Amino acid sequence: MSIAKSVVTGTVYRAPEKRFTQNNIAVSAFVLNIDERDEMLIRVISRRQSLEEVVDSLDKGARVLVEGRLQTNVVKMDDGTEKRIYEIDANTIERIGEGGAIASSSSSSSSDDIVKFESDDFANELIGEDEIPF
């Protein structure tokens, strides 16, 4: 379910992973922790070519500002419990501090391709590959 435009700041919790769709479109994703005291994790997805340079420069612990479309979903875990997952389809990603770079894109990309992020740790915390909304 897509909620609305969202702007968040946080720390990169898991470094970006890049995969390609069947149509050879690059899709990058990383996990952002937006709460300094507790873990409040949001998956950030970027399919925009103009953001690749910024996303590729991110490391775990980097501070960033992300603007995009917030999406929520509920997934059933292996133990039967349900977990609410938050994702942002990023339009803009900006590094905070260290003379950070900014990149943005206002073009929308529509693709029905499924991208598989195969890292086991990544899959346990986020939407399963069957649940990815694009």
Side-chain angles (χ1 to χ4, degrees), residues 57-113:
S57 73
L58 296 178
D59 294 319
K60 184 176 180 175
R63 298 273 306 153
V64 295
L65 177 138
V66 177
E67 177 272 322
R69 188 171 42 103
L70 180 64
Q71 305 170 119
T72 64
N73 213 341
V74 177
V75 272
K76 196 167 236 180
M77 304 305 284
D78 292 336
D79 62 2
T81 60
E82 291 185 345
K83 184 175 183 181
R84 182 166 299 277
I85 305 297
Y86 300 93
E87 291 184 324
I88 294 180
D89 184 5
N91 291 325
T92 304
I93 299 172
E94 180 179 349
R95 287 185 76 115
I96 298 174
E98 302 177 28
I102 182 171
S104 64
S105 172
S106 59
S107 64
S108 64
S109 155
S110 62
S111 173
D112 293 329
D113 295 327

Side-chain angles (χ1 to χ4, degrees), residues 31 42-43 75 83 85-86 121-128:
V31 179
I42 293 181
R43 181 182 189 182
V75 272
K83 184 175 183 181
I85 305 297
Y86 300 93
D121 292 337
F122 203 75
N124 288 339
E125 295 175 22
L126 303 168
I127 293 177

Side-chain angles (χ1 to χ4, degrees), residues 6-65:
S6 177
V7 179
V8 297
T9 60
T11 305
V12 176
Y13 183 82
R14 179 152 306 130
E17 244 184 85
K18 185 185 281 188
R19 297 282 188 248
F20 292 88
T21 65
Q22 292 175 350
N23 295 335
N24 206 28
I25 297 170
V27 178
S28 298
F30 62 94
V31 179
L32 186 66
N33 183 7
I34 63 169
D35 190 352
E36 293 180 12
R37 290 173 279 159
D38 298 316
E39 288 182 355
M40 174 66 177
L41 304 179
I42 293 181
R43 181 182 189 182
V44 178
I45 300 170
S46 171
R47 292 176 284 191
R48 290 162 178 77
Q49 192 173 25
S50 61
L51 298 178
E52 280 186 38
E53 186 177 327
V54 173
V55 172
D56 290 344
S57 73
L58 296 178
D59 294 319
K60 184 176 180 175
R63 298 273 306 153
V64 295
L65 177 138

